[in-house]
Amino acid sequence: MITGSCLCGNIQYELRGDPINTAMCFCNNCRKSTGSVGMANSWYSKESLSITKGADLLRTYEDHAVDSGATVERSFCPGCGSPLIAENKIKFPGAVIVTYGTMELEEGQKWKPNLEYFCKRKAEWLGTPAETEKFHEL
Ligand SMILES: [Zn+2]
Ligand SMILES: [Zn+2]
């Protein structure tokens, strides 16, 4: 099991079972949403995720302006701004995308991506794990 929370801790969650995928996305929207070089995340089946604290606090921004044209529902903590969860119901129905940065990995719980999306937007100075499957877009 993996536990996680937003920065202020008012929203907490648990993840059970193995992720469907672990991914980096460098699209403009993931960069804006995180304020960083891209979004690192794990995809889980919806049943794997339990919001254990502050579920009623979670706010969702419906992101229509993704490079790919997909709609991504991006949920975040309105208190501290941490992006926690995203859903792309058209491309990945039944899956929930959980941000890596909000996970509290314990010793022995390692995270590394197996997929990279929107490599065309990736900063050229960023290193690349050799074993990831890479996509130009989504
Ligand atoms: Zn928070
Ligand atoms: Zn993205």
Side-chain angles (χ1 to χ4, degrees), residues 5-11 57 76-82 84:
S5 77
C6 62
L7 178 60
C8 74
N10 284 344
I11 299 173
L57 299 175
F76 58 95
C77 172
C80 67
S82 295
L84 288 150

Side-chain angles (χ1 to χ4, degrees), residues 25-27 29-30 66 74 118:
C25 184
F26 304 104
C27 81
N29 295 52
C30 286
V66 176
R74 299 179 184 270
F118 273 89

Side-chain angles (χ1 to χ4, degrees), residues 17-112:
D18 292 322
I20 301 162
N21 270 310
T22 51
M24 292 288 306
C25 184
F26 304 104
C27 81
N28 287 338
N29 295 52
C30 286
R31 292 195 293 141
K32 291 268 185 185
S33 171
T34 59
S36 190
V37 294
M39 184 180 272
N41 55 56
S42 296
W43 311 351
Y44 282 87
S45 67
K46 274 192 174 173
E47 304 75 60
S48 298
L49 172 71
S50 316
I51 309 282
T52 52
K53 187 184 168 195
D56 56 322
L57 299 175
L58 208 58
R59 291 291 172 271
T60 300
Y61 172 67
E62 208 167 278
D63 176 8
H64 295 287
V66 176
D67 278 340
S68 64
T71 297
V72 179
E73 293 174 17
R74 299 179 184 270
S75 298
F76 58 95
C77 172
C80 67
S82 295
L84 288 150
I85 295 158
E87 284 186 61
N88 184 337
K89 288 176 176 157
I90 306 290
K91 283 227 155 169
F92 310 117
V96 65
I97 298 165
V98 182
T99 53
Y100 160 71
T102 61
M103 295 177 193
E104 283 136 20
L105 298 180
E106 289 166 22
E107 220 175 301
Q109 292 180 322
K110 295 199 186 334
W111 189 95
K112 67 175 183 177

